[in-house]
């Protein structure tokens, strides 16, 4: 049984930083696409970043230069380092996992990943 558990969400002031973690268990396939999505209050879920099993990364234009996605394969943990946080970064952040690498290279607009975490809340106040 594949499980994803996010942590690290908090309430911070604008300009602050947070590092989200997503602990992954039960996944045995050699290839994958891992992703971070977020859902701002009252809005639809949106893609933030992806990283595939080869280490290729894709970022949403809105977070380029601000967020960094990484993974620790040995510990099966996905990270999202978020710097210079803004109030518009507020939302529930989810990690997602799928077997198919092509879901990482097609863009961030589709949230059809097979496995999802429960989310961690990030609130940025001005």
């Amino acid at each position: 049984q594949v499980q994803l558990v996010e942590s690290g969400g908090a309430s911070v002031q604008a300009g602050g930083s947070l590092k989200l973690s997503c602990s992954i268990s039960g996944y045995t396939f050699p290839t994958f696409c891992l992703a971070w999505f977020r859902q701002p209050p009252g809005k639809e879920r949106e893609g933030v970043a992806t990283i595939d099993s080869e280490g290729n990364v894709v970022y949403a234009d809105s977070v380029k230069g601000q967020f960094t996605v990484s993974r620790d394969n040995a510990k099966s943990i996905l990270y999202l380092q978020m710097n210079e946080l803004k109030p518009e970064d507020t939302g529930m952040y989810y990690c997602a996992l799928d077997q198919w690498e092509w879901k990482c290279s097609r863009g961030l607009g589709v949230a059809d990943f097979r496995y999802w975490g429960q989310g961690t809340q990030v609130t940025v106040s001005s």
Side-chain angles (χ1 to χ4, degrees), residues 27-33 53 97-101:
Y27 186 79
T28 59
F29 290 101
T31 61
F32 56 82
C33 173
S53 46
L97 167 65
D98 201 282
Q99 177 185 354
W100 306 111
E101 283 187 299

Side-chain angles (χ1 to χ4, degrees), residues 43-124:
K43 297 184 179 180
E44 293 186 354
R45 194 171 297 190
E46 60 186 23
V48 174
T50 62
I51 183 167
D52 66 19
S53 46
E54 296 182 6
N56 301 305
V57 299
V58 176
Y59 294 99
D61 288 342
S62 58
V63 304
K64 283 181 181 177
Q66 182 189 1
F67 290 5
T68 303
V69 63
S70 62
R71 58 189 170 91
D72 184 327
N73 288 337
K75 296 181 179 179
S76 295
I77 300 176
L78 175 70
Y79 298 104
L80 185 67
Q81 177 68 47
M82 306 186 294
N83 298 325
E84 296 296 323
L85 284 162
K86 311 166 189 175
E88 51 264 41
D89 295 318
T90 293
M92 186 70 79
Y93 282 70
Y94 300 89
C95 62
L97 167 65
D98 201 282
Q99 177 185 354
W100 306 111
E101 283 187 299
W102 59 264
K103 292 192 177 182
C104 275
S105 59
R106 67 178 174 179
L108 291 159
V110 184
D112 62 345
F113 284 65
R114 181 172 181 181
Y115 305 105
W116 290 84
Q118 82 290 347
T120 187
Q121 179 68 37
V122 172
T123 302
V124 184

